[in-house]
């Protein structure tokens, strides 16, 4: 089966992690993935090409709308009928051009995969999203979601009764992130974390992910003389503002901004807890990886219980009054490397091996 994938960006974030989980774990003799994107290069492009995928780059739509349309039409005219399915990954329905053209040019299976539970932008973009909710029924054949909490906002009420609707839990390979005490020791030494209680946040630096709140509430435990360190892995539009905030709070010595990293799975080994104060989520892939590693996870209570697998997940408020609960939870941690005795990720619905079986079944591979 040949599947054309749209939605990869240049940032190795959540959507990219979801896609790569399938790319790395399906049988390449059964499924070939090709990629269409307006980003150059896309995350993991070299790996994708080594695996035999074709990667096609289009002009950025909002910068070069006419050229985007011209090249998209040219590609679909020439190649659409070679594909059995198109798999479109979206955080909103603002841009459905690729889906519409895939329908017009004859790709038989047209899958929308929803990755967010709320609007991140507001204003005109939200209005466009709401208009497009009514139109996608004419273009898509399948409506997939990473979170049942996301369904009503993304697709509108009633989609769950559509025969093409499927809830597909985000999934990882638990063995990729399983705890290894020797790796932990090596990482902590290399990163200068010995003697520290290390809190890790892995997310793009964006208002949705709420790192600003995290810095504010944890300031009391991140002072110069503290043995607690906060490590923020990821990049984004708020990088400079957050770095400035850490300086103004007097906690910059114990806050590390590591940017985009290719060794995130190793970094989990050196952490003592994972912190996720997001205002909303589908299901965070980083959260799943942290649980597979056995880490204690401190997450916002605005998130649903979807994605919670282990018993050492603590939900905390992200209100103005929530500071004490976050501080108290951090003060109960230590740097012993304690993990959940047995991560429950393996064999769960968030195990990619289980989801690949379902993937084959849905697409009749």
């Amino acid at each position: 089966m040949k599947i054309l994938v749209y939605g990869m960006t240049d940032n190795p974030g959540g959507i990219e992690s979801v896609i790569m989980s399938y790319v790395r774990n399906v049988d390449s003799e059964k499924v070939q993935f090709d990629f269409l994107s307006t980003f150059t290069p896309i995350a993991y492009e070299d790996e994708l090409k080594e695996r035999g995928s074709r990667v096609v780059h289009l002009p950025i739509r909002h910068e070069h709308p006419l050229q985007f349309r011209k090249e998209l039409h040219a590609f679909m005219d020439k190649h659409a009928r070679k594909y059995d399915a198109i798999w479109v990954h979206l955080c909103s329905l603002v841009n459905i051009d690729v889906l519409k053209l895939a329908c017009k040019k004859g790709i038989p299976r047209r899958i929308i995969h929803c990755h967010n539970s709320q609007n991140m932008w507001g204003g005109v973009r939200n209005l466009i999203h709401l208009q497009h909710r009514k139109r996608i029924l004419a273009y898509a054949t399948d409506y997939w979601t990473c979170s049942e909490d996301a369904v009503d906002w993304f697709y509108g009420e009633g989609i769950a009764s559509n025969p093409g609707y499927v809830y597909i839990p985000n999934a990882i390979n638990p063995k990729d992130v399983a705890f290894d005490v020797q790796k932990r020791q090596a990482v902590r030494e290399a990163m200068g974390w010995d003697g520290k209680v290390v809190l890790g946040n892995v997310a793009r630096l964006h208002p949705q992910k709420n790192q600003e709140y995290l810095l504010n509430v944890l300031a009391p435990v991140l002072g110069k003389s503290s043995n607690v360190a906060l490590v923020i892995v990821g990049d984004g539009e708020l990088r400079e503002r957050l770095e400035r905030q850490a300086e103004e709070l007097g906690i910059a010595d114990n806050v590390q901004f590591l940017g985009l990293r290719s060794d995130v799975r190793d970094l989990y080994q050196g952490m003592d807890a994972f912190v996720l104060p997001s205002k909303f989520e589908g299901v965070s892939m980083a959260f799943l990886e942290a649980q597979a590693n056995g880490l204690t996870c401190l997450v916002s209570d605005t998130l649903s219980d979807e994605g919670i697998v282990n018993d050492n997940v603590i939900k905390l408020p992200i209100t103005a009054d929530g500071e004490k609960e976050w501080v108290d939870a951090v003060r109960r941690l230590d740097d012993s490397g304690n993990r959940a005795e047995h991560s429950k990720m393996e064999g769960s619905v968030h195990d990619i091996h289980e989801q690949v079986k379902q993937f084959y079944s849905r697409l009749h591979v």
Side-chain angles (χ1 to χ4, degrees):
M1 172 169 275
K2 292 191 71 172
I3 299 175
L4 181 64
V5 180
Y6 181 80
M8 288 276 277
T9 74
D10 56 350
N11 176 54
I15 289 177
E16 291 74 20
S17 295
V18 170
I19 295 168
M20 293 306 295
S21 277
Y22 284 90
V23 170
R24 290 166 176 154
N25 289 284
V26 300
D27 185 343
S28 60
E29 296 295 318
K30 293 182 177 181
V31 180
Q32 178 188 331
F33 295 106
D34 288 343
F35 294 82
L36 190 64
S37 179
T38 58
F39 291 82
T40 305
I42 61 172
Y44 309 107
E45 182 162 332
D46 289 345
E47 178 183 347
L48 292 170
K49 288 179 176 177
E50 287 174 6
R51 291 177 177 274
S53 293
R54 181 184 183 192
V55 181
V56 176
H57 301 283
L58 298 173
I60 297 173
R61 178 174 174 260
H62 67 269
E63 293 181 1
H64 308 284
L66 296 180
Q67 193 66 18
F68 168 83
R69 180 179 173 82
K70 179 182 177 181
E71 293 190 23
L72 176 60
H73 275 257
F75 175 84
M76 288 294 186
D77 284 338
K78 187 173 183 180
H79 299 289
R81 294 192 178 276
K82 299 176 184 178
Y83 291 101
D84 302 289
I86 185 168
W87 190 10
V88 180
H89 296 259
L90 299 172
C91 286
S92 81
L93 296 171
V94 171
N95 177 8
I96 59 172
D97 292 358
V98 172
L99 184 72
K100 287 166 61 177
L101 203 56
C103 177
K104 183 178 180 180
K105 300 299 182 180
I107 299 180
R109 292 289 292 273
R110 300 175 299 278
I111 305 158
I112 300 182
H113 198 145
C114 151
H115 288 274
N116 225 342
S117 61
Q118 288 186 37
N119 172 41
M120 295 190 294
W121 302 281
V124 173
R125 297 184 74 170
N126 193 50
L127 292 176
I128 295 171
H129 170 85
L130 295 175
Q131 290 176 346
H132 283 173
R133 285 197 320 195
K134 302 170 185 176
R135 300 176 64 191
I136 57 170
L137 292 173
Y139 307 127
T141 58
D142 298 78
Y143 310 88
W144 294 1
T145 182
C146 69
S147 166
E148 291 183 311
D149 266 11
V151 173
D152 287 349
W153 171 76
F154 193 92
Y155 291 119
E157 293 182 10
I159 195 69
S161 62
N162 188 298
Y165 168 77
V166 186
Y167 164 51
I168 301 176
N170 283 352
I172 62 169
N173 185 342
K175 292 181 179 177
D176 286 343
V177 214
F179 181 59
D180 183 316
V181 67
Q182 291 182 327
K183 283 186 181 178
R184 173 179 170 79
Q185 291 168 352
V187 167
R188 287 177 70 84
E189 182 177 346
M191 297 300 296
W193 293 347
D194 284 334
K196 295 280 188 180
V197 176
V198 179
L199 314 176
N201 173 256
V202 181
R204 75 184 182 283
L205 309 188
H206 183 278
Q208 174 194 350
K209 303 299 183 177
N210 212 16
Q211 287 100 346
E212 184 176 358
Y213 177 85
L214 192 63
L215 293 177
N216 280 329
V217 298
L218 294 186
V221 292
L222 291 172
K224 288 185 178 179
S225 60
S226 173
N227 72 328
V228 179
L230 173 62
V231 174
I232 298 177
V233 185
D235 212 341
E237 63 197 69
L238 298 184
R239 173 85 178 247
E240 289 185 9
R241 185 193 301 180
L242 292 169
E243 290 177 334
R244 189 164 57 249
Q245 181 186 354
E247 290 283 355
E248 291 169 353
L249 290 169
I251 59 175
D253 287 350
N254 278 323
V255 179
Q256 291 181 294
F257 292 90
L258 298 186
L260 298 176
R261 302 278 297 212
S262 59
D263 60 346
V264 179
R265 291 173 179 171
D266 289 336
L267 294 177
Y268 290 120
Q269 306 285 356
M271 296 174 187
D272 298 294
F274 178 80
V275 287
L276 185 70
S278 299
K279 296 175 182 177
F280 56 92
E281 286 280 353
V283 173
S284 161
M285 292 289 280
F287 178 41
L288 296 179
E289 290 177 338
Q291 289 184 87
N293 189 254
L295 281 164
T296 297
C297 295
L298 312 180
V299 306
S300 47
D301 64 2
T302 55
L303 306 186
S304 75
D305 288 343
E306 284 181 305
I308 296 179
V309 177
N310 291 347
D311 298 327
N312 59 341
V313 175
I314 301 167
K315 297 181 80 171
L316 300 166
I318 51 171
T319 60
D321 299 327
E323 175 182 313
K324 186 176 185 304
E325 293 187 49
W326 283 87
V327 168
D328 287 348
V330 169
R331 284 178 171 156
R332 287 193 291 268
L333 301 170
D334 59 43
D335 64 348
S336 64
N338 288 335
R339 296 296 199 267
E341 188 172 346
H342 298 289
S343 172
K344 299 178 181 178
M345 193 65 65
E346 196 164 340
S348 76
V349 296
H350 298 290
D351 183 333
I352 190 61
H353 301 102
E354 300 301 316
Q355 287 307 317
V356 163
K357 295 174 190 174
Q358 299 301 317
F359 185 79
Y360 291 156
S361 176
R362 285 182 213 108
L363 296 180
H364 309 296
V365 176

